[in-house]
Amino acid sequence: ILGPRGKKVLVIGAGDGGVATALLRYPGLEELIQVELDEAVVNASKQFMPEMSAGYADPRHKLVIMDAVQWVQDQSKSSKAIFDLAIIDSTDQPLKSPWSTTFFAALQKLLAPHGLLLQNINSQHGDVISKFRELHTSFSKRHLLSVITPDYESPYLLAMLTDSVAFDPYAVDWSWWASLNISTLHYHPTLHRALLSAPIESVREYIDGQDVTYLDARWKARWGERVDEEEEDEEDEDEEEAGAADEEL
């Protein structure tokens, strides 16, 4: 989506190095700063998953071991608009400092006018999406991405945030992308539009702030009677089969 503008990237978490390794395949990327809390995760990945952690050896990569929430807040006081892309790949709630609107406002200051923030949210359950909606409200444009993954309940949702007025998630320079000749396993231009097709309940909850319990109630009101009728029919069939068996005996 960013095309050749994606020159400087911030990665928060992702201690196994997989995100950094994937990003560093792009030759136009000039610098990647990764802030990871637990150095033990980095060392374990280097030892046991060398292909995934290969990006750590790239000279464009800079690793910072500390609390990323604190790092972002510190950087926002002295730096502005320095990242084209920020990716948060961490636990649902940071292990040290919690997510807050203050943190996301600070991170917003570190993004260029065309900059994007991508964050994994989680699967659709509980009040996870509504909580992230509250945290992300400072961004003028918010989109949900939906992926199928064997690691979590699917669809697994990610948030893509920006303040770019001209941002269009469907406008991709595919000629530029193809010219890079980067082999991908889980992504292809034919999948791009599908990734932006999240469940309507998730979109309404995250974008509009609609209560999903209300949607669940409407679903039950519409389909509940039909389900009950089907269950009653099955019970009647079971009783008839049992009666027939008794007669035969």
Side-chain angles (χ1 to χ4, degrees):
I1 294 176
L2 286 173
R5 294 177 299 177
K7 297 182 181 299
K8 192 165 184 177
V9 178
L10 171 66
V11 175
I12 293 176
D16 56 25
V19 172
T21 300
L23 288 168
L24 289 163
R25 294 185 300 166
Y26 288 81
L29 183 60
E30 297 175 355
E31 183 179 16
L32 188 152
I33 298 177
Q34 180 175 354
V35 187
E36 164 62 36
L37 179 65
D38 193 348
E39 191 171 12
V41 176
V42 176
N43 293 334
S45 185
K46 288 180 178 179
Q47 181 178 357
F48 299 107
M49 297 184 291
E51 291 185 1
M52 180 174 290
S53 60
Y56 285 128
D58 193 298
R60 297 171 293 170
H61 184 281
K62 178 183 178 181
L63 178 64
V64 179
I65 300 296
M66 69 171 291
D67 175 16
V69 174
Q70 186 62 53
W71 186 88
V72 166
Q73 292 175 343
D74 291 343
Q75 292 295 314
S76 68
K77 296 174 184 177
S78 58
S79 304
K80 291 184 178 180
I82 56 175
F83 293 106
D84 304 299
L85 173 65
I87 296 178
I88 300 177
D89 182 16
S90 70
T91 51
D92 297 339
Q93 191 64 254
L95 299 178
K96 192 169 184 180
S97 302
W99 300 131
S100 66
T101 53
T102 301
F103 162 75
F104 285 100
L107 182 53
Q108 205 167 1
K109 293 179 181 179
L110 297 180
L111 293 174
H114 59 267
L116 296 176
L117 167 61
L118 188 67
Q119 180 175 21
N120 56 328
I121 290 184
N122 208 316
S123 304
Q124 169 73 72
H125 63 78
D127 57 353
V128 173
I129 294 180
S130 59
K131 286 183 178 179
F132 275 106
R133 179 181 187 277
E134 295 172 3
L135 292 168
H136 294 164
T137 49
S138 60
F139 287 87
S140 59
K141 289 191 175 182
R142 304 188 305 276
H143 300 269
L144 280 181
L145 279 70
S146 175
V147 299
I148 306 299
T149 169
D151 301 328
Y152 300 93
E153 295 177 3
S154 295
Y156 189 82
L157 304 174
L158 300 92
M160 184 165 56
L161 316 168
T162 186
D163 284 318
S164 172
V165 177
F167 177 71
D168 181 356
Y170 299 100
V172 180
D173 185 348
W174 294 116
S175 297
W176 170 84
W177 189 83
S179 70
L180 300 176
N181 197 29
I182 295 176
S183 176
T184 56
L185 181 62
H186 300 293
Y187 178 77
H188 188 269
T190 58
L191 299 175
H192 184 80
R193 186 169 292 273
L195 291 173
L196 292 161
S197 301
I200 188 61
E201 292 86 358
S202 303
V203 173
R204 288 176 177 172
E205 181 180 10
Y206 181 69
I207 304 299
D208 303 328
Q210 191 167 354
D211 187 0
V212 170
T213 57
Y214 166 73
L215 294 173
D216 288 343
R218 287 186 59 189
W219 178 267
K220 291 176 181 178
R222 182 176 180 181
W223 298 100
E225 293 182 2
R226 181 176 296 182
V227 172
D228 291 340
E229 290 174 359
E230 290 177 353
E231 291 178 350
E232 290 178 2
D233 290 342
E234 290 178 358
E235 290 176 359
D236 292 341
E237 290 177 1
D238 292 340
E239 291 177 359
E240 290 176 2
E241 291 177 358
D246 290 339
E247 290 179 2
E248 291 178 0
L249 292 174

